[in-house]
Amino acid sequence: MMRRILTLALDTPLDNEFDYRWNAEDSTHPLPEVGQLALVPFGRREVMGLIVAVKDDSDVDANKLRDVIAIRSQLGPLSPAWIALCRFAADYYQRPLGEVALPCVPKNLRTDNTTSLERALKKLAAAATAEPPPVPRPELNTEQRAAVEAITADPGFCAHLLHGVTGSGKTEVYLHAPERVIERERTQGRVAQVLILVPEINLTPQLEANVRARFPHLMVATLHSQLAEGERLRHWIAAHQGKAAIVLGTRLAVLASMPDLKLIIIDEEHDPSYKQQEGLRYSARDLAIWRARQLGLPVVLGSATPSIESWQHAGSGRYRKLVLRQRAAARAQLPRVGLIDMEVNKALDGLSPPLVAAVRARLERGEQSLLFLNRRGYAPVMHCDACGWISNCRRCTAFMVLHKPERRLRCHHCSLELRIPVSCPTCGNVDLQPLGRGTQRVEEHVQVLFPGARVLRIDADSTRRKGSAQAAFDAVHRGEVDILLGTQMVAKGHDFQRLTLVGAINPDSALFSQDYRAGERLFAQLMQVAGRAGRAGIEEGTPPSEVLIQTRYRQHPLYRALLAHDYEGFAQATLAERRAAGLPPFVYQALLRAEARQLQAALDFLQQARTLMPHEGITINDPVPMTITRVAGIERAQLLLECASRAQLQAFLKPWMQALRALKSRLRWSLEVDPLDI
Ligand code: ADP
Ligand code: ZN
Ligand code: ZN
């Protein structure tokens, strides 16, 4: 009797792979292959696993081996290259392979039930393709053409950093390069797939519309977390079967199975949302670069404000720099940036007289204004003047935020909600004051200041319902809004044709943050939001678009660089600071976090972790409480590891994680490699 052993990766935190018996005689099934999915018993459940090896013998006792229940054979196997990508991610981020690979596979494929799979396959087989399009495309300018040339000249690995100011026409490069690559492969009788990554799909609907319009004859699949399960399955299979020529998705799409991948594009490569903040804390950008190198294909990292890491690589020659210096649309100019000195201008409810005057001028001309304030809610805290009470969250080291329209105090960390107290909980004073301001408060004030104006607020609160963000942006595009007010949600890839003024209300708060990346992030946000202004070609004679920044620190180098639209200067200065301070990208970091009811227990665990193994060449700092120490009643602490060599850090992490797991601590802990927030 021929028996074969299948080694499976399963979605469990146990860092093992598991052997099962495949009984060839009982089945008419051909021998299973590596990369296929197999249903197996695991404990008392049945789970879907990924076959990573097929062999004759197992180290496991024969009478302990269990039988495979079924093989998912309707689909071709996942490729060795794809498994290698998952294995790399698992190794690098110190997670078991199964926890990386299986969540990439749509839920419907991981169950016993095959009806949804059959339905999806039928739908895909019936999908028709249209004729190639007669879509008008703009003539590329010299810089755009050079970029497309550089990207498509050589099919081999190269990381291109596409540094283009806002409005420089990066999108056209993202559309032309795939077109070229797909056409080149087609003439050689091959299929090509292109992966385009975007930070948040619902904030960049224009790119998706552009891609679909430009490639109506090709299948475009989208992959992001908001797809319904059926859709996700269909799009995933379209990518996996090579049917989708273009896959457009958020960070999770970097792990899509794409057998004919020939080009990867990462839009807004600096965006923090490429980093997953829970579970497998991966950087989609970094994985995309690894994947491009593994497969030997070009990858494009586009941004107006590249991440400091990427800029460093471009400087050292590891990445190739491509530059778009000019705005692309006819007569479109970069906006003029000005600072409003808040030391001399008294702001009433957040808006200084010069900013109010600038908004009024736009209203009179029938143009749009955008007010940017990166803080939602009405006020970040409530306060009693009489006794000093403030609205602390009882479960977190954080304030309860006042949400006036909803008449609630809300904790943004644990989601606790309370009615707004009518009087002070400690002294009974009925005159409680809001302190500071968020978007709701500014909205209220703007409505009072400009009674006839149509004001629209866009933030996470106003766009909770599905589709409401899209509806809000559409209203702005149709010209139904005079004053748009919002958080960073309004900063992303929108082209508002009538928008000629951007006001940043209180950016200073980020200048003195403990987070060493706060400056880089603020600069990128301000550049991006400023980039919303003056994108359309204006008529001759009208004044140029304007960006006004309210600040108490007019001399701050960040603002000086912003005035001059000088990303390069800012990046150079930031790199010099990081080098001097021994911060990334000049060191590599990993962060071990622990959570417990008692802070001391978390700190003790980290202290134990610290002394678990010799760690020559690796700096392990003292365990410290996290900045927001308590969330929902759980105390949190962290341990920062630093090393000048990525390889040396990796070599330490693997055995260290094994030793940590062997402690079998009941405390919750997790490791993050290349952490963004410290
Ligand atoms: P970015 O993504 O770099 O901020 P976009 O790709 O949104 O900029 O382009 C800005 C504007 O310039 C868009 O309205 C686009 O249609 C236009 N545009 C891009 N390339 C060209 C070109 N070669 N000629 C004319 N207009 C262009
Ligand atoms: Zn009081
Ligand atoms: Zn809370």
Side-chain angles (χ1 to χ4, degrees):
M1 189 160 64
M2 188 180 73
R3 284 182 191 281
R4 287 295 180 105
I5 305 297
L6 307 185
T7 305
L8 269 71
L10 302 179
D11 184 4
T12 107
L14 301 172
D15 194 11
N16 289 336
E17 285 160 14
F18 302 85
D19 284 356
Y20 285 87
R21 194 162 40 197
W22 168 252
N23 193 332
E25 254 181 358
D26 289 354
S27 171
T28 51
H29 197 288
L31 189 64
E33 294 174 61
V34 167
Q36 280 184 312
L37 299 173
L39 191 69
V40 294
F42 186 68
R44 270 176 287 174
R45 293 178 300 143
E46 291 180 356
V47 299
M48 196 64 83
L50 171 72
I51 303 175
V52 294
V54 179
K55 54 193 186 182
D56 282 324
D57 302 302
S58 172
D59 297 337
V60 181
D61 244 3
N63 55 18
K64 283 203 181 142
L65 282 176
R66 301 172 79 180
D67 286 323
V68 171
I69 300 165
I71 302 288
R72 170 73 78 234
S73 56
Q74 295 91 331
L75 275 184
L78 289 149
S79 69
W82 183 82
I83 297 176
L85 170 68
C86 293
R87 208 179 271 288
F88 168 77
D91 283 347
Y92 187 79
Y93 296 109
Q94 309 295 332
R95 304 282 281 200
L97 173 62
E99 267 197 345
V100 177
L102 286 150
C104 295
V105 176
K107 257 203 201 90
N108 284 337
L109 278 184
R110 281 181 277 147
T111 65
D112 198 11
N113 188 338
T114 57
T115 42
S116 54
L117 169 60
E118 274 141 23
R119 202 177 320 131
L121 287 171
K122 211 177 284 167
K123 253 196 178 155
L124 273 174
T129 47
E131 278 301 295
V135 183
R137 42 177 56 98
E139 186 83 9
L140 293 184
N141 62 35
T142 318
E143 288 178 330
Q144 286 171 318
R145 206 170 318 123
V148 172
E149 274 308 324
I151 295 161
T152 57
D154 178 357
F157 172 73
C158 181
H160 302 272
L161 182 65
L162 178 65
H163 178 215
V165 298
T166 52
S168 60
K170 292 187 286 297
T171 315
E172 278 307 322
V173 177
Y174 302 155
L175 295 172
H176 271 82
E179 196 171 18
R180 281 266 191 101
V181 168
I182 291 168
E183 185 53 25
R184 179 190 70 209
E185 297 295 312
R186 196 186 63 81
T187 57
Q188 295 173 19
R190 289 193 297 258
V191 182
Q193 291 183 293
V194 178
L195 174 62
I196 304 178
L197 296 177
V198 294
E200 281 162 87
I201 218 145
N202 53 346
L203 298 183
T204 47
Q206 281 173 332
L207 181 58
E208 184 180 345
N210 284 334
V211 170
R212 290 190 187 280
R214 192 63 67 84
F215 302 102
H217 58 305
L218 300 176
M219 194 186 286
V220 177
T222 54
L223 285 175
H224 52 90
S225 57
Q226 275 149 33
L227 289 179
E229 278 306 323
E231 258 179 319
R232 176 156 134 87
L233 177 65
R234 206 155 11 96
H235 292 199
W236 187 88
I237 295 174
H240 173 65
Q241 295 186 328
K243 287 206 165 88
I246 296 182
V247 174
L248 178 68
T250 52
R251 60 172 180 258
L252 57 87
V254 75
L255 291 162
S257 160
M258 295 177 70
D260 300 309
L261 188 58
K262 292 291 179 303
L263 172 67
I264 305 178
I265 291 167
I266 310 167
D267 185 24
E268 309 288 4
E269 67 88 23
H270 66 280
D271 198 294
S273 58
Y274 282 122
K275 182 85 196 251
Q276 167 104 347
Q277 292 295 0
E278 61 200 19
L280 178 75
R281 292 166 176 262
Y282 65 98
S283 155
R285 179 198 58 210
D286 295 353
L287 285 183
I289 293 164
W290 190 87
R291 194 172 186 181
R293 187 192 309 271
Q294 169 208 28
L295 297 173
L297 47 93
V299 53
V300 180
L301 292 80
S303 178
T305 51
S307 65
I308 291 298
E309 289 85 350
S310 298
W311 190 253
Q312 152 85 351
H313 288 324
S316 74
R318 282 186 57 185
Y319 296 174
R320 178 168 175 188
K321 203 189 295 178
L322 305 170
V323 189
L324 309 179
R325 282 171 221 282
Q326 304 291 327
R327 284 203 153 176
R331 286 195 300 280
Q333 286 175 350
L334 283 175
R336 197 174 57 210
V337 184
L339 300 177
I340 298 176
D341 185 351
M342 298 307 279
E343 291 290 348
V344 295
N345 280 286
K346 268 271 167 287
L348 192 65
D349 272 313
L351 301 187
S352 62
L355 186 54
V356 172
V359 173
R360 183 155 289 131
R362 289 340 185 264
L363 284 172
E364 281 159 8
R365 296 206 294 263
E367 296 169 0
Q368 295 174 317
S369 306
L370 187 166
L371 299 176
F372 171 64
L373 176 61
N374 218 358
R375 176 173 267 160
R376 66 194 171 87
Y378 187 86
V381 56
M382 273 191 103
H383 173 247
C384 170
D385 275 341
C387 74
W389 172 86
I390 51 176
S391 57
N392 281 315
C393 176
R394 62 169 187 266
R395 308 167 64 201
C396 308
T397 349
F399 298 128
M400 302 281 291
V401 178
L402 173 59
H403 286 254
K404 201 170 167 190
E406 301 94 328
R407 293 200 234 133
R408 287 283 187 276
L409 290 180
R410 265 195 202 141
C411 173
H412 290 182
H413 299 279
C414 72
S415 307
L416 180 67
E417 289 205 9
L418 301 173
R419 255 197 306 246
I420 298 174
V422 285
S423 61
C424 174
T426 32
C427 77
N429 172 16
V430 292
D431 189 23
L432 294 177
Q433 297 296 324
L435 280 187
R437 67 187 53 79
T439 46
Q440 291 174 347
R441 191 170 187 178
V442 173
E443 179 187 25
E444 187 181 277
H445 184 56
V446 167
Q447 274 161 346
V448 172
L449 274 174
F450 309 105
R454 297 163 302 173
V455 181
L456 179 69
R457 169 167 59 87
I458 298 188
D459 57 26
D461 297 311
S462 75
T463 56
R464 239 168 249 273
R465 270 179 305 111
K466 195 172 188 248
S468 54
Q470 187 54 46
F473 286 123
D474 288 346
V476 185
H477 284 297
R478 285 195 303 267
E480 293 166 11
V481 174
D482 300 313
I483 303 172
L484 174 64
L485 168 71
T487 55
Q488 57 172 344
M489 280 185 75
V490 299
K492 312 242 158 148
H494 279 271
D495 234 341
F496 299 122
Q497 297 292 312
R498 301 290 300 162
L499 187 80
T500 61
L501 172 69
V502 170
I505 293 179
N506 182 21
D508 285 348
S509 52
L511 286 182
F512 305 102
S513 162
Q514 290 184 24
D515 180 352
Y516 72 91
R517 279 183 222 267
E520 177 184 351
R521 229 171 256 166
L522 176 64
F523 188 83
Q525 268 175 8
L526 289 175
M527 282 284 256
Q528 205 164 28
V529 74
R532 298 310 108 209
R535 293 171 72 89
I538 49 169
E539 289 120 56
E540 231 139 323
T542 31
S545 289
E546 209 175 9
V547 176
L548 293 175
I549 295 170
Q550 301 192 143
T551 176
R552 289 180 187 281
Y553 306 94
R554 283 166 57 225
Q555 298 307 326
H556 196 288
L558 188 148
Y559 293 136
R560 305 319 298 179
L562 208 63
L563 285 185
H565 297 280
D566 182 15
Y567 166 80
E568 290 199 33
F570 175 77
Q572 287 321 114
T574 306
L575 273 174
E577 277 170 34
R578 298 265 182 95
R579 188 191 292 276
L583 287 167
F586 301 98
V587 298
Y588 297 91
Q589 298 179 326
L591 197 63
L592 182 68
R593 295 193 177 89
E595 300 183 350
R597 293 245 159 242
Q598 303 299 326
L599 181 59
Q600 197 53 49
L603 291 169
D604 288 347
F605 172 81
L606 295 176
Q607 187 57 38
Q608 188 185 6
R610 190 173 184 228
T611 50
L612 208 53
M613 270 176 46
H615 50 85
E616 209 186 321
I618 292 168
T619 308
I620 307 188
N621 294 276
D622 286 331
V624 288
M626 285 171 63
T627 316
I628 298 173
T629 311
R630 186 162 29 94
V631 169
I634 301 293
E635 309 282 346
R636 310 171 322 153
Q638 65 184 31
L639 187 69
L640 179 67
L641 285 69
E642 296 175 294
C643 182
S645 147
R646 173 175 265 165
Q648 195 180 357
L649 181 60
Q650 281 285 324
F652 170 76
L653 289 178
K654 189 141 201 114
W656 191 54
M657 286 294 280
Q658 270 159 6
L660 280 169
R661 286 196 192 98
L663 291 177
K664 298 211 185 307
S665 166
R666 287 218 305 265
L667 212 141
R668 276 177 58 116
W669 57 271
S670 63
L671 182 83
E672 178 168 5
V673 179
D674 305 331
L676 271 194
D677 300 297
I678 295 173

